[in-house]
């Protein structure tokens, strides 16, 4: 799937649409100097530098390709119980404008509605940890072929010819998950936290102190929680 993205001429033919080095598109990304308060691209952050130097052992041969995952559930029909949650992926070497296009994303797999195996009463009686265990089993299977690549245990992505903006090079592709995009409900499920929609919540998420009663206040002052 990754090779499909990196071999699509529409996605990789124009270096202006890629967050890669202008002198060496296969090397370490050097971000542009932007005056404050402008933020640089994702690859200009500290995560990229740390991961690059952990994954890349041979700068002349290794090509670092960060992976971005996105996960969100959609109901199959309006008002239906049945739903499906695709786990999509792209790469941060595509710039933000390119990542905003559907063609820049491909599915790795689908998390189906796990409640369809039981009646409503049976599903409600399941312990929360049992429900999350099922979800994680599905994720485990979807990512089964990805994990060996990130851990450096597979050479399937070694010695492949990649063309970026007219430059072709034989490289060893190194990958690492950069982040997972999703809503709060999906994030709660991935982290095995209970999903709750009550206005009486002490806080809406684990990172700040905004309570549920303030969820409709755009001027609420948030205190970051470490």
């Amino acid at each position: 799937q990754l090779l499909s993205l990196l071999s699509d001429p529409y996605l990789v033919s124009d270096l202006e649409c890629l967050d890669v080095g202008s002198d060496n598109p296969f090397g370490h990304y050097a971000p542009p100097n932007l005056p404050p308060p402008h933020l640089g691209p994702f690859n200009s952050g500290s995560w990229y530098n740390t991961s690059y130097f952990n994954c890349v052992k041979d700068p002349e041969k290794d090509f670092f390709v960060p992976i971005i995952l996105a996960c969100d559930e959609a109901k199959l029909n309006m008002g239906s119980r049945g739903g499906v949650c695709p786990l999509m992926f792209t790469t941060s070497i595509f710039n933000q404008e390119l990542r905003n296009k559907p063609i820049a994303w491909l599915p790795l797999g689908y998390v189906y509605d796990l409640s369809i195996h039981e009646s409503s009463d049976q599903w409600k009686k399941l312990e929360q940890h049992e429900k999350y265990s099922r979800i994680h089993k599905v994720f485990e299977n979807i990512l089964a072929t990805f994990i060996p690549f990130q851990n450096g245990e597979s050479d399937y992505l070694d010695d492949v010819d990649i063309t970026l903006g007219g430059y072709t090079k034989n490289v060893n592709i190194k990958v690492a998950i950069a982040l997972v995009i999703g809503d709060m409900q999906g994030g709660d499920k991935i982290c095995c936290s209970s999903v709750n929609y009550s206005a009486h919540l002490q806080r809406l998420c684990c990172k700040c102190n905004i309570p549920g009663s303030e969820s409709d206040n755009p001027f609420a002052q948030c205190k970051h929680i470490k």
Side-chain angles (χ1 to χ4, degrees):
Q1 290 282 61
L2 178 59
L3 294 179
S4 296
L5 284 181
L6 296 179
S7 60
D8 188 332
Y10 178 84
L11 297 173
V12 298
S13 294
D14 187 359
L15 288 181
E16 293 296 321
C17 297
L18 305 178
D19 287 334
V20 296
S22 56
D23 296 330
N24 178 15
F26 301 97
H28 181 261
Y29 175 69
N33 284 323
L34 297 174
H38 295 282
L39 295 176
F42 179 83
N43 288 349
S44 65
S46 60
W47 178 92
Y48 174 88
N49 282 328
T50 301
S51 301
Y52 178 91
F53 290 113
N54 273 295
C55 295
V56 173
K57 306 305 179 185
D58 182 358
E60 295 300 318
K61 182 73 173 180
D62 295 344
F63 175 38
F64 183 49
V65 182
I67 301 297
I68 297 175
L69 300 179
C71 192
D72 193 19
E73 183 181 9
K75 293 300 180 183
L76 298 178
N77 291 300
M78 187 66 68
S80 164
R81 275 185 66 203
V84 66
C85 183
L87 182 63
M88 311 290 292
F89 86 100
T90 188
T91 172
S92 63
I93 70 168
F94 300 157
N95 67 12
Q96 182 176 341
E97 183 179 355
L98 193 56
R99 294 198 307 269
N100 286 342
K101 298 179 179 180
I103 193 175
W105 295 81
L106 287 177
L108 284 174
Y110 297 87
V111 182
Y112 64 95
D113 187 348
L114 300 174
S115 68
I116 64 175
H117 295 297
E118 291 91 4
S119 67
S120 297
D121 288 339
Q122 289 174 317
W123 180 253
K124 290 178 182 178
K125 291 177 181 178
L126 281 177
E127 295 290 339
Q128 200 70 26
H129 71 86
E130 293 179 293
K131 297 177 181 179
Y132 290 138
S133 177
R134 292 185 181 186
I135 292 175
H136 280 244
K137 280 294 183 183
V138 177
F139 278 126
E140 184 179 354
N141 279 278
I142 293 174
L143 295 172
T145 57
F146 176 86
I147 293 172
F149 292 122
Q150 177 166 273
N151 293 343
E153 299 167 356
S154 174
D155 58 2
Y156 181 79
L157 294 178
D158 288 355
D159 290 317
V160 294
D161 291 330
I162 298 296
T163 301
L164 301 178
Y167 297 91
T168 301
K169 186 176 181 180
N170 184 267
V171 297
N172 299 331
I173 297 177
K174 304 298 179 180
V175 297
I177 291 182
L179 74 157
V180 181
I181 300 171
D183 58 18
M184 288 176 64
Q185 183 192 52
D188 281 339
K189 289 182 178 179
I190 291 173
C191 297
C192 298
S193 299
S194 297
V195 178
N196 198 312
Y197 299 98
S198 170
H200 303 294
L201 286 173
Q202 292 185 356
R203 60 180 191 261
L204 289 171
C205 75
C206 60
K207 294 295 288 183
C208 78
N209 66 336
I210 297 296
S213 58
E214 290 288 294
S215 60
D216 61 347
N217 178 12
F219 303 105
Q221 296 296 312
C222 173
K223 180 181 179 181
H224 182 259
I225 297 174
K226 292 185 180 179

